[in-house]
Amino acid sequence: MKQDMIVILDLGSTENTALAREIRNLGVYSEIYPHDITVTELRTLPNVKGIVVYGGPNNIINGEKIDISQEVYNTDYPIMAIAHENIGSEYNFSTWEEASPQLKSFVFDVCGAEANWNMENFVADQVELIRNQVGNKKVLLALSGGVDSSVVAALLIKAIGKQLVCVHVNHGLMRKDESENVVEVFGKQLDANLVYVDASERYLTKLAGIADPEQKRKIIGAEFIRIFEEESRRLGGNEAIGFLAQGTIYPDIVESGTKTAKVIKSHHNVGGLPEDMKFELVEPIRQLFKDEVRACGLELGLPDEMVYRQPFPGPGLGVRCLGAITRERLTAVRESDAILREEFKIAGLDKKVWQYFTAVPDFKSVGMRDNARSIEYTVIIRAVNTIDAMTAAIEEIEWPLLQKITGRILAEVDNVNRVCYDLSPKPVATIEWE
């Protein structure tokens, strides 16, 4: 069953994602598209019932005020305009608060949309779309073992079965015992078609001396593609495998920049892909927010412990070993992160806190160890709660627990003499440090 859709056209608003979520909360699917979408492109979208034009402070590009085309205005789609004046619609509002009470009426009364946005229908639609896109070819999936790639794996298995080849790349930037757990769960317990690639030395060599976060992400993303191309050739080449599946989700796309929004940070699976990539992408959850990804996983029958697993960025510990990556600091990040996760689980915070991790910056400070002066690194603890990863609040950790974690890190992790707790919300900070 195709789900009805309300299209949001981005005219420079900073609240497009909030609007999309509000419409989805009404039970109607919504996607965001650029302001210059053509009528032909609109007509290719399934079950569009109406359009919301959402203007805002970023509606100036190259010195000119942007607008949607007159051709789009002339279509038979109902159009609702918010925070944008004189665009030929009866719905004109200066603030989201003014528009919100009218949204439900527009969606159901004017557009005639049905409240058929739910995970059962979403999964059915995606299974059909995947089968139509892939045909009889095989698909490579970058399987990190995290929530996003696990949900994509389950979707693809449901859609195409053994045509899916899961590739787990150990880039040397994984959490402690991460790769071993992926092999155990997917290769043995779930009997997935799993290929394990140990590329840790290859990555560390490529990343040596690279301090710029964007450059690190792009190197990590490019190497992923190169490895998958190598695996594709080994498995029969593009004639047999023509697709690369990824766990890209909507916040990845937003943060990697749009026509009216600046880049916050390039995600390795959005802004870091090489231009000469020979794969066609399969990204079935790219329009989902994080909480929706988890709901999709539950609909697909994935176990709770997998669905509610800690989020882990594609570049792994590479974005938590701040600055140029060294083996010494990478070990400090990995070991301190393992301690934090162990203590949070004991304290019952592993289900309460959305994301928690450690980071180690590329500088040292003076301390004392064994009655002597020491020059060692700092470990930063971060713990945040969020619904959709677009904003995040700091978790208030009990003082005795912080002291216990600090004591363990200072005693058990080499080359560390300080532990700090990050109190910065998103915005103005991001969840990850890089």
Side-chain angles (χ1 to χ4, degrees):
M1 175 183 179
K2 291 292 185 183
Q3 299 168 103
D4 290 346
M5 177 164 64
I6 301 296
V7 169
I8 299 170
L9 295 186
D10 174 19
L11 215 60
S13 173
T14 58
E15 298 180 344
N16 285 312
T17 54
L19 175 58
R21 292 188 64 83
E22 187 72 19
I23 296 173
R24 293 186 192 186
N25 287 339
L26 293 174
V28 179
Y29 188 56
S30 181
E31 289 186 0
I32 304 167
Y33 287 91
H35 71 282
D36 56 358
I37 190 171
T38 65
V39 171
T40 301
E41 291 168 334
L42 266 175
R43 297 293 190 197
T44 64
L45 300 178
N47 286 27
V48 176
K49 295 296 183 180
I51 297 170
V52 178
V53 181
Y54 204 4
N58 297 322
N59 66 341
I60 303 295
I61 297 180
N62 297 326
E64 295 186 5
K65 193 173 184 179
I66 59 174
D67 201 345
I68 65 175
S69 72
Q70 191 60 48
E71 288 186 338
V72 172
Y73 284 129
N74 292 339
T75 63
D76 55 357
Y77 294 119
I79 296 178
M80 178 182 191
I82 303 177
H84 191 63
E85 299 175 358
N86 301 321
I87 63 170
S89 168
E90 61 183 296
Y91 297 97
N92 289 287
F93 304 96
S94 60
T95 67
W96 166 243
E97 287 73 19
E98 292 178 24
S100 184
Q102 302 296 326
L103 184 62
K104 185 175 181 179
S105 175
F106 174 76
V107 170
F108 295 114
D109 300 336
V110 179
C111 298
E114 293 185 26
N116 54 14
W117 159 242
N118 57 59
M119 279 305 153
E120 181 181 359
N121 290 340
F122 175 81
V123 168
D125 285 352
Q126 289 304 318
V127 165
E128 181 182 344
L129 289 170
I130 291 167
R131 288 173 179 168
N132 290 339
Q133 181 184 9
V134 171
N136 61 2
K137 287 194 174 184
K138 290 186 177 180
V139 180
L140 286 183
L141 169 64
L143 179 59
S144 68
V147 177
D148 302 336
S149 64
S150 297
V151 171
V152 170
L155 258 176
L156 287 167
I157 290 170
K158 185 176 180 69
I160 60 173
K162 290 295 184 179
Q163 289 173 243
L164 174 65
V165 180
C166 297
V167 180
H168 175 68
V169 178
N170 179 2
H171 47 27
L173 307 171
M174 306 298 290
R175 291 175 290 200
K176 190 172 185 179
D177 299 327
E178 189 89 18
S179 289
E180 292 82 355
N181 290 337
V182 169
V183 172
E184 172 64 27
V185 172
F186 288 93
K188 298 179 181 178
Q189 297 178 19
L190 299 182
D191 193 31
N193 190 2
L194 178 65
V195 176
Y196 173 74
V197 180
D198 185 354
S200 52
E201 290 299 323
R202 174 173 174 171
Y203 270 91
L204 291 177
T205 299
K206 285 274 186 181
L207 290 165
I210 305 298
D212 179 70
E214 285 294 292
Q215 192 176 356
K216 285 162 65 176
R217 287 176 178 269
K218 291 182 185 299
I219 289 172
I220 292 169
E223 281 304 296
F224 264 116
I225 300 304
R226 297 303 172 226
I227 289 171
F228 293 137
E229 288 175 340
E230 293 166 12
E231 290 303 314
S232 174
R233 289 191 292 270
R234 188 180 66 80
L235 294 167
N238 284 353
E239 292 184 1
I241 299 177
F243 298 90
L244 171 65
Q246 294 192 136
T248 307
I249 65 175
Y250 195 70
D252 298 342
I253 298 169
V254 173
E255 291 189 338
S256 294
T258 64
K259 291 180 180 179
T260 63
K262 296 179 180 179
V263 173
I264 297 172
K265 56 184 176 183
S266 294
H267 287 258
H268 79 288
N269 52 354
V270 179
L273 300 179
E275 293 181 0
D276 60 346
M277 183 181 71
K278 295 180 174 61
F279 294 110
E280 182 179 334
L281 290 179
V282 178
E283 299 175 305
I285 62 172
R286 66 180 282 116
Q287 293 290 347
L288 296 186
F289 295 97
K290 197 71 175 189
D291 58 316
E292 294 172 331
V293 174
R294 297 189 195 281
C296 184
L298 293 175
E299 176 66 30
L300 289 162
L302 292 176
D304 283 4
E305 58 268 23
M306 185 176 293
V307 170
Y308 291 102
R309 195 177 186 191
Q310 269 283 292
F312 192 56
L317 299 181
V319 296
R320 296 174 183 174
C321 187
L322 310 179
I325 297 171
T326 65
R327 294 175 190 271
E328 186 177 67
R329 284 190 302 111
L330 189 57
T331 298
V333 173
R334 183 175 289 117
E335 294 299 324
S336 60
D337 176 78
I339 290 171
L340 178 66
R341 288 188 288 125
E342 180 181 332
E343 292 297 334
F344 267 38
K345 184 175 183 179
I346 293 172
L349 293 176
D350 57 326
K351 295 288 179 62
K352 181 186 176 187
V353 182
W354 189 82
Q355 188 168 10
Y356 46 94
F357 58 89
T358 62
V360 178
D362 188 15
F363 62 80
K364 293 182 177 181
S365 63
V366 177
M368 293 184 63
R369 188 176 297 281
D370 300 324
N371 296 317
R373 176 186 173 96
S374 68
I375 308 293
E376 296 175 308
Y377 294 109
T378 297
V379 167
I380 299 162
I381 297 173
R382 186 145 174 79
V384 299
N385 277 317
T386 181
I387 295 176
D388 55 16
M390 300 307 299
T391 62
I394 303 304
E395 176 66 20
E396 295 184 14
I397 306 300
E398 295 290 337
W399 191 248
L401 178 58
L402 276 178
Q403 287 182 313
K404 183 182 180 184
I405 294 169
T406 298
R408 283 196 60 189
I409 290 174
L410 293 177
E412 299 174 30
V413 181
D414 292 337
N415 304 302
V416 171
N417 63 5
R418 292 181 190 273
V419 177
C420 299
Y421 189 61
D422 182 356
L423 295 172
S424 312
K426 175 182 180 178
V428 281
T430 54
I431 293 176
E432 296 286 347
W433 271 59
E434 287 190 344

